[in-house]
Amino acid sequence: MSQVVLIDSDVIIGAALERDQHHDRAKPIVDGIDQSRLPKAVLSDYIYMEVVNYLTKKLNTEDCSDFLNRLVASENYRIYRVADRHYKAGKDDIYYT
């Protein structure tokens, strides 16, 4: 089985925003995944929506669209939909109600 990593919003946002404090570390990670130098990445739909929400406030429309379209079109990123049943199962494991 090939290696896959879970990537969080702070890495993607850091890569997208040149003035972000984590940009110098995040951009090589995102580029490395995109260019197959690092393992493929998965992010949940919740993480993706967090990225979309944040970047639409920080970037102009064209730059935001270009970045997000590149992410979605890449064969090396997969957006995983967290189904309601998975959410409920996780919640039930955490909250003993």
Side-chain angles (χ1 to χ4, degrees), residues 31-43:
D31 290 345
I33 293 168
D34 193 40
Q35 298 164 3
S36 300
R37 289 182 280 114
L38 292 173
K40 292 184 178 193
V42 64
L43 58 150

Side-chain angles (χ1 to χ4, degrees), residues 10-91:
D10 58 340
V11 177
I12 299 168
I13 290 168
L17 301 175
E18 291 181 8
R19 299 182 76 186
D20 187 272
Q21 65 181 351
H22 302 295
H23 180 75
D24 291 340
R25 289 184 291 162
K27 184 144 176 40
I29 293 169
V30 169
D31 290 345
I33 293 168
D34 193 40
Q35 298 164 3
S36 300
R37 289 182 280 114
L38 292 173
K40 292 184 178 193
V42 64
L43 58 150
S44 75
D45 51 351
Y46 297 117
I47 293 170
Y48 179 73
M49 291 311 299
E50 181 181 351
V51 170
V52 169
N53 185 46
Y54 193 81
L55 291 183
T56 55
K57 295 175 184 172
K58 297 293 184 179
L59 294 173
N60 66 52
T61 303
E62 184 178 346
D63 290 343
C64 183
S65 293
D66 287 348
F67 183 84
L68 294 172
N69 286 335
R70 186 183 112 205
L71 185 74
V72 171
S74 175
E75 293 180 5
N76 294 325
Y77 287 92
R78 184 174 141 228
I79 299 171
Y80 178 77
R81 168 116 170 60
V82 179
D84 292 337
R85 64 185 168 90
H86 295 136
Y87 173 80
K88 183 176 178 347
K91 181 180 173 191

